[in-house]
Amino acid sequence: QVQLVESGGGLVQAGGSVSLSCAASGRTTSTYIMGWFRQAPGKEREFVALISRSGLTTYYADSAKGRFTISRDNAKNMVSLQMNSLKPEDTAVYYCAADAGYTLVTSESSYDAWGQGTQVTVSS
């Protein structure tokens, strides 16, 4: 089993930056493909970014590409999401997730463990 806890969310002005962290306990994060998802009020949860076990491959939603960067440090059992040039539409609860599979998939149904989420609010 792996347990995930997100941190780093908060209130930020449009155009600003925030860095989210996901700390894992139990199984090492190197066992999993790691992803970030988000859920805005009244909307379904959506894919944001993923990173392979080695960290050599990343993939981003169109809304995140060019603004967000996912990274991982397997030695520290940590995954991060650096978010720059934030927009009000980025306001959401952000979730860290772990996928035990061996293909890079953006569907939330492929992920086996989830954190509790951290709120990011972008003000205009």
Side-chain angles (χ1 to χ4, degrees), residues 4 8 11 21 32 35-37 51-52 54 58-59 62 71 74 76 82 86-87 94 96 100 102-103 114-115 124:
L4 305 174
L11 178 64
S21 296
Y32 303 94
W36 285 95
F37 293 76
I51 188 166
S52 64
S54 67
T58 59
Y59 185 76
D62 287 343
S71 61
N74 289 336
K76 296 183 177 181
Q82 176 68 44
L86 285 164
K87 307 171 183 178
Y94 284 73
C96 180
Y102 289 89
T103 57
W114 295 82
S124 61

Side-chain angles (χ1 to χ4, degrees), residues 44-100:
E44 299 298 317
R45 188 155 54 188
E46 65 178 357
F47 168 78
V48 177
L50 65 77
I51 188 166
S52 64
R53 287 174 171 84
S54 67
L56 296 178
T57 302
T58 59
Y59 185 76
Y60 299 91
D62 287 343
S63 61
K65 191 173 184 178
R67 300 189 300 128
F68 295 1
T69 302
I70 187 171
S71 61
R72 68 190 302 162
D73 186 340
N74 289 336
K76 296 183 177 181
N77 281 336
M78 185 176 67
V79 180
S80 298
L81 184 69
Q82 176 68 44
M83 303 192 292
N84 300 324
S85 301
L86 285 164
K87 307 171 183 178
E89 51 263 44
D90 295 318
T91 295
V93 176
Y94 284 73
Y95 297 90
C96 180
D99 179 4

